[in-house]
Short mmCIF file of all heavy atoms in Angstrom, two decimals:
data_model
loop_
_atom_site.label_atom_id
_atom_site.label_comp_id
_atom_site.label_asym_id
_atom_site.label_seq_id
_atom_site.Cartn_x
_atom_site.Cartn_y
_atom_site.Cartn_z
N GLY A 221 -75.61 -8.84 140.29
CA GLY A 221 -74.78 -9.42 139.25
C GLY A 221 -74.07 -10.69 139.69
O GLY A 221 -74.25 -11.17 140.82
N PHE A 222 -73.23 -11.22 138.81
CA PHE A 222 -72.49 -12.45 139.08
C PHE A 222 -71.09 -12.32 138.51
O PHE A 222 -70.93 -12.07 137.31
CB PHE A 222 -73.19 -13.66 138.43
CG PHE A 222 -74.60 -13.86 138.90
CD1 PHE A 222 -75.65 -13.26 138.23
CD2 PHE A 222 -74.87 -14.63 140.02
CE1 PHE A 222 -76.96 -13.43 138.67
CE2 PHE A 222 -76.17 -14.81 140.46
CZ PHE A 222 -77.22 -14.21 139.79
N VAL A 223 -70.10 -12.51 139.36
CA VAL A 223 -68.71 -12.41 138.90
C VAL A 223 -68.37 -13.60 138.00
O VAL A 223 -67.81 -13.44 136.92
CB VAL A 223 -67.73 -12.35 140.09
CG1 VAL A 223 -66.29 -12.40 139.59
CG2 VAL A 223 -67.97 -11.09 140.92
N THR A 224 -68.71 -14.82 138.43
CA THR A 224 -68.31 -16.02 137.68
C THR A 224 -69.52 -16.88 137.31
O THR A 224 -70.55 -16.86 137.99
CB THR A 224 -67.33 -16.89 138.48
OG1 THR A 224 -68.01 -17.43 139.62
CG2 THR A 224 -66.11 -16.10 138.91
N ALA A 225 -69.35 -17.63 136.22
CA ALA A 225 -70.28 -18.69 135.83
C ALA A 225 -69.41 -19.81 135.26
O ALA A 225 -69.15 -19.86 134.07
CB ALA A 225 -71.29 -18.20 134.80
N GLN A 226 -68.94 -20.67 136.15
CA GLN A 226 -67.97 -21.70 135.76
C GLN A 226 -68.72 -22.98 135.36
O GLN A 226 -69.66 -23.39 136.02
CB GLN A 226 -67.01 -21.96 136.92
CG GLN A 226 -65.67 -22.57 136.51
CD GLN A 226 -65.76 -24.07 136.29
OE1 GLN A 226 -66.53 -24.76 136.97
NE2 GLN A 226 -64.98 -24.58 135.35
N SER A 227 -68.25 -23.64 134.29
CA SER A 227 -69.06 -24.71 133.68
C SER A 227 -68.42 -26.09 133.78
O SER A 227 -68.28 -26.78 132.78
CB SER A 227 -69.33 -24.38 132.21
OG SER A 227 -68.11 -24.24 131.48
N ARG A 228 -68.06 -26.48 134.98
CA ARG A 228 -67.52 -27.84 135.18
C ARG A 228 -68.66 -28.85 135.13
O ARG A 228 -69.67 -28.71 135.80
CB ARG A 228 -66.81 -27.87 136.52
CG ARG A 228 -66.09 -29.18 136.85
CD ARG A 228 -65.21 -28.96 138.07
NE ARG A 228 -64.55 -30.18 138.53
CZ ARG A 228 -64.85 -30.82 139.66
NH1 ARG A 228 -65.80 -30.34 140.45
NH2 ARG A 228 -64.19 -31.91 140.00
N TYR A 229 -68.47 -29.93 134.34
CA TYR A 229 -69.59 -30.82 134.05
C TYR A 229 -69.48 -32.22 134.64
O TYR A 229 -70.41 -33.01 134.51
CB TYR A 229 -69.82 -30.92 132.54
CG TYR A 229 -70.75 -29.83 132.07
CD1 TYR A 229 -70.25 -28.56 131.82
CD2 TYR A 229 -72.10 -30.05 131.93
CE1 TYR A 229 -71.09 -27.54 131.42
CE2 TYR A 229 -72.96 -29.04 131.54
CZ TYR A 229 -72.45 -27.78 131.28
OH TYR A 229 -73.28 -26.77 130.91
N SER A 230 -68.37 -32.57 135.28
CA SER A 230 -68.28 -33.88 135.91
C SER A 230 -67.28 -33.82 137.06
O SER A 230 -66.47 -32.88 137.15
CB SER A 230 -67.84 -34.95 134.92
OG SER A 230 -66.46 -34.86 134.64
N GLU A 231 -67.32 -34.82 137.91
CA GLU A 231 -66.42 -34.86 139.05
C GLU A 231 -64.97 -35.02 138.61
O GLU A 231 -64.04 -34.59 139.29
CB GLU A 231 -66.83 -36.01 139.97
CG GLU A 231 -66.23 -35.93 141.36
CD GLU A 231 -66.86 -36.93 142.30
OE1 GLU A 231 -67.56 -37.85 141.84
OE2 GLU A 231 -66.66 -36.77 143.53
N LYS A 232 -64.75 -35.64 137.44
CA LYS A 232 -63.40 -35.86 136.92
C LYS A 232 -62.89 -34.67 136.11
O LYS A 232 -61.70 -34.62 135.76
CB LYS A 232 -63.37 -37.13 136.07
CG LYS A 232 -63.65 -38.40 136.85
CD LYS A 232 -63.56 -39.63 135.96
CE LYS A 232 -63.84 -40.90 136.75
NZ LYS A 232 -63.78 -42.11 135.88
N ASP A 233 -63.75 -33.75 135.80
CA ASP A 233 -63.37 -32.55 135.05
C ASP A 233 -62.37 -31.74 135.86
O ASP A 233 -62.61 -31.42 137.03
CB ASP A 233 -64.64 -31.74 134.79
CG ASP A 233 -64.43 -30.55 133.86
OD1 ASP A 233 -63.29 -30.10 133.70
OD2 ASP A 233 -65.44 -30.08 133.30
N THR A 234 -61.23 -31.39 135.29
CA THR A 234 -60.18 -30.67 136.01
C THR A 234 -60.39 -29.16 136.03
O THR A 234 -59.59 -28.45 136.64
CB THR A 234 -58.80 -30.97 135.40
OG1 THR A 234 -58.79 -30.55 134.03
CG2 THR A 234 -58.47 -32.45 135.49
N SER A 235 -61.42 -28.68 135.40
CA SER A 235 -61.59 -27.23 135.26
C SER A 235 -62.02 -26.57 136.57
O SER A 235 -62.48 -27.22 137.51
CB SER A 235 -62.60 -26.92 134.16
OG SER A 235 -63.91 -27.25 134.58
N GLY A 236 -61.88 -25.26 136.59
CA GLY A 236 -62.27 -24.46 137.75
C GLY A 236 -61.51 -23.15 137.73
O GLY A 236 -60.51 -23.01 137.02
N PHE A 237 -61.99 -22.18 138.48
CA PHE A 237 -61.34 -20.87 138.58
C PHE A 237 -60.82 -20.68 140.00
O PHE A 237 -61.57 -20.80 140.97
CB PHE A 237 -62.33 -19.74 138.27
CG PHE A 237 -62.94 -19.78 136.89
CD1 PHE A 237 -64.16 -19.17 136.66
CD2 PHE A 237 -62.30 -20.42 135.84
CE1 PHE A 237 -64.75 -19.18 135.40
CE2 PHE A 237 -62.87 -20.44 134.56
CZ PHE A 237 -64.10 -19.83 134.35
N VAL A 238 -59.53 -20.39 140.12
CA VAL A 238 -58.91 -20.09 141.41
C VAL A 238 -58.44 -18.64 141.39
O VAL A 238 -57.68 -18.24 140.50
CB VAL A 238 -57.72 -21.03 141.70
CG1 VAL A 238 -57.06 -20.64 143.02
CG2 VAL A 238 -58.17 -22.48 141.73
N PHE A 239 -58.89 -17.87 142.37
CA PHE A 239 -58.50 -16.47 142.50
C PHE A 239 -57.62 -16.34 143.74
O PHE A 239 -58.07 -16.59 144.86
CB PHE A 239 -59.72 -15.56 142.62
CG PHE A 239 -60.60 -15.57 141.40
CD1 PHE A 239 -61.59 -16.53 141.25
CD2 PHE A 239 -60.43 -14.63 140.40
CE1 PHE A 239 -62.40 -16.56 140.13
CE2 PHE A 239 -61.24 -14.64 139.27
CZ PHE A 239 -62.23 -15.60 139.13
N ARG A 240 -56.37 -15.95 143.52
CA ARG A 240 -55.41 -15.81 144.63
C ARG A 240 -55.10 -14.33 144.83
O ARG A 240 -54.65 -13.65 143.90
CB ARG A 240 -54.12 -16.59 144.31
CG ARG A 240 -53.11 -16.58 145.44
CD ARG A 240 -53.59 -17.44 146.62
NE ARG A 240 -52.55 -17.61 147.62
CZ ARG A 240 -52.42 -16.83 148.70
NH1 ARG A 240 -53.28 -15.83 148.91
NH2 ARG A 240 -51.45 -17.06 149.57
N THR A 241 -55.37 -13.81 146.00
CA THR A 241 -55.27 -12.38 146.34
C THR A 241 -56.13 -11.56 145.38
O THR A 241 -57.18 -12.00 144.95
CB THR A 241 -53.80 -11.90 146.39
OG1 THR A 241 -53.22 -11.93 145.08
CG2 THR A 241 -52.98 -12.76 147.33
N GLY A 242 -55.72 -10.36 145.03
CA GLY A 242 -56.55 -9.51 144.19
C GLY A 242 -57.72 -8.93 144.94
O GLY A 242 -57.77 -8.95 146.18
N SER A 243 -58.72 -8.41 144.19
CA SER A 243 -59.85 -7.74 144.82
C SER A 243 -61.11 -7.85 143.97
O SER A 243 -61.04 -8.02 142.75
CB SER A 243 -59.53 -6.27 145.06
OG SER A 243 -59.29 -5.60 143.83
N VAL A 244 -62.25 -7.76 144.66
CA VAL A 244 -63.55 -7.64 144.00
C VAL A 244 -64.17 -6.35 144.51
O VAL A 244 -64.51 -6.23 145.69
CB VAL A 244 -64.47 -8.84 144.33
CG1 VAL A 244 -65.85 -8.64 143.68
CG2 VAL A 244 -63.85 -10.15 143.86
N THR A 245 -64.28 -5.37 143.62
CA THR A 245 -64.78 -4.05 144.00
C THR A 245 -65.78 -3.58 142.93
O THR A 245 -66.10 -4.31 142.01
CB THR A 245 -63.62 -3.04 144.11
OG1 THR A 245 -62.94 -2.96 142.84
CG2 THR A 245 -62.62 -3.45 145.17
N GLY A 246 -66.26 -2.34 143.08
CA GLY A 246 -67.14 -1.77 142.07
C GLY A 246 -68.35 -1.11 142.68
O GLY A 246 -68.28 -0.51 143.76
N SER A 247 -69.50 -1.23 142.00
CA SER A 247 -70.73 -0.60 142.45
C SER A 247 -71.86 -1.61 142.41
O SER A 247 -71.77 -2.65 141.76
CB SER A 247 -71.07 0.59 141.54
OG SER A 247 -71.20 0.16 140.19
N GLY A 248 -72.94 -1.32 143.13
CA GLY A 248 -74.08 -2.21 143.17
C GLY A 248 -73.84 -3.42 144.05
O GLY A 248 -73.19 -3.33 145.10
N GLU A 249 -74.34 -4.57 143.61
CA GLU A 249 -74.20 -5.81 144.38
C GLU A 249 -73.95 -6.97 143.43
O GLU A 249 -74.59 -7.08 142.38
CB GLU A 249 -75.46 -6.07 145.20
CG GLU A 249 -75.37 -7.31 146.09
CD GLU A 249 -76.63 -7.52 146.92
OE1 GLU A 249 -77.63 -8.00 146.36
OE2 GLU A 249 -76.60 -7.21 148.13
N VAL A 250 -73.01 -7.84 143.80
CA VAL A 250 -72.73 -9.02 142.98
C VAL A 250 -72.60 -10.27 143.86
O VAL A 250 -72.15 -10.20 144.99
CB VAL A 250 -71.43 -8.89 142.15
CG1 VAL A 250 -71.57 -7.84 141.07
CG2 VAL A 250 -70.23 -8.63 143.04
N ASN A 251 -73.01 -11.39 143.30
CA ASN A 251 -72.66 -12.69 143.85
C ASN A 251 -71.30 -13.08 143.30
O ASN A 251 -70.91 -12.67 142.20
CB ASN A 251 -73.69 -13.75 143.45
CG ASN A 251 -75.02 -13.57 144.14
OD1 ASN A 251 -75.09 -13.58 145.37
ND2 ASN A 251 -76.08 -13.40 143.37
N LEU A 252 -70.58 -13.88 144.05
CA LEU A 252 -69.26 -14.32 143.58
C LEU A 252 -69.36 -15.31 142.43
O LEU A 252 -68.44 -15.43 141.63
CB LEU A 252 -68.49 -14.95 144.74
CG LEU A 252 -68.15 -13.98 145.88
CD1 LEU A 252 -67.57 -14.75 147.06
CD2 LEU A 252 -67.18 -12.91 145.41
N GLY A 253 -70.49 -16.02 142.35
CA GLY A 253 -70.65 -16.94 141.23
C GLY A 253 -71.99 -17.62 141.23
O GLY A 253 -72.70 -17.66 142.24
N ARG A 254 -72.33 -18.14 140.05
CA ARG A 254 -73.49 -19.02 139.92
C ARG A 254 -73.09 -20.20 139.04
O ARG A 254 -72.19 -20.11 138.20
CB ARG A 254 -74.70 -18.31 139.36
CG ARG A 254 -74.57 -17.69 137.97
CD ARG A 254 -75.91 -17.10 137.56
NE ARG A 254 -75.83 -16.29 136.35
CZ ARG A 254 -76.89 -15.72 135.78
NH1 ARG A 254 -78.09 -15.88 136.30
NH2 ARG A 254 -76.76 -14.98 134.69
N ALA A 255 -73.76 -21.31 139.25
CA ALA A 255 -73.34 -22.57 138.64
C ALA A 255 -73.79 -22.65 137.19
O ALA A 255 -74.99 -22.66 136.90
CB ALA A 255 -73.91 -23.74 139.43
N TRP A 256 -72.81 -22.75 136.29
CA TRP A 256 -73.09 -22.98 134.88
C TRP A 256 -72.71 -24.43 134.53
O TRP A 256 -72.26 -24.73 133.44
CB TRP A 256 -72.33 -21.97 134.02
CG TRP A 256 -72.75 -21.95 132.59
CD1 TRP A 256 -73.93 -22.39 132.07
CD2 TRP A 256 -71.98 -21.48 131.48
NE1 TRP A 256 -73.95 -22.22 130.70
CE2 TRP A 256 -72.77 -21.66 130.32
CE3 TRP A 256 -70.72 -20.93 131.36
CZ2 TRP A 256 -72.32 -21.30 129.05
CZ3 TRP A 256 -70.27 -20.57 130.11
CH2 TRP A 256 -71.06 -20.74 128.97
N GLY A 257 -72.84 -25.29 135.48
CA GLY A 257 -72.53 -26.70 135.32
C GLY A 257 -72.76 -27.38 136.66
O GLY A 257 -72.63 -26.75 137.72
N PRO A 258 -73.10 -28.66 136.68
CA PRO A 258 -73.48 -29.34 137.92
C PRO A 258 -72.33 -29.52 138.90
O PRO A 258 -72.57 -29.80 140.08
CB PRO A 258 -73.99 -30.70 137.44
CG PRO A 258 -73.34 -30.91 136.11
CD PRO A 258 -73.23 -29.55 135.50
N TYR A 259 -71.07 -29.35 138.44
CA TYR A 259 -69.91 -29.49 139.31
C TYR A 259 -69.08 -28.20 139.32
O TYR A 259 -67.87 -28.23 139.53
CB TYR A 259 -69.04 -30.67 138.89
CG TYR A 259 -69.69 -32.02 139.16
CD1 TYR A 259 -70.57 -32.57 138.22
CD2 TYR A 259 -69.45 -32.72 140.33
CE1 TYR A 259 -71.18 -33.79 138.45
CE2 TYR A 259 -70.05 -33.95 140.57
CZ TYR A 259 -70.91 -34.47 139.64
OH TYR A 259 -71.52 -35.69 139.87
N SER A 260 -69.73 -27.09 139.10
CA SER A 260 -69.05 -25.80 139.02
C SER A 260 -68.08 -25.61 140.19
O SER A 260 -68.38 -25.97 141.33
CB SER A 260 -70.10 -24.68 139.01
OG SER A 260 -69.51 -23.42 138.86
N ARG A 261 -66.90 -25.00 139.90
CA ARG A 261 -65.86 -24.89 140.93
C ARG A 261 -65.18 -23.52 140.85
O ARG A 261 -64.59 -23.16 139.84
CB ARG A 261 -64.82 -26.00 140.74
CG ARG A 261 -63.71 -25.99 141.77
CD ARG A 261 -62.98 -27.32 141.83
NE ARG A 261 -62.33 -27.69 140.58
CZ ARG A 261 -61.71 -28.86 140.39
NH1 ARG A 261 -61.70 -29.77 141.35
NH2 ARG A 261 -61.14 -29.13 139.24
#
Side-chain angles (χ1 to χ4, degrees):
F222 302 90
V223 174
T224 67
Q226 203 279 327
S227 59
R228 185 168 176 250
Y229 272 82
S230 76
E231 196 170 14
K232 295 182 180 179
D233 188 339
T234 60
S235 72
F237 300 156
V238 177
F239 296 86
R240 184 71 172 94
T241 67
S243 62
V244 177
T245 59
S247 58
E249 183 178 77
V250 292
N251 289 302
L252 295 172
R254 61 176 170 177
W256 191 22
Y259 290 85
S260 183
R261 181 162 62 185

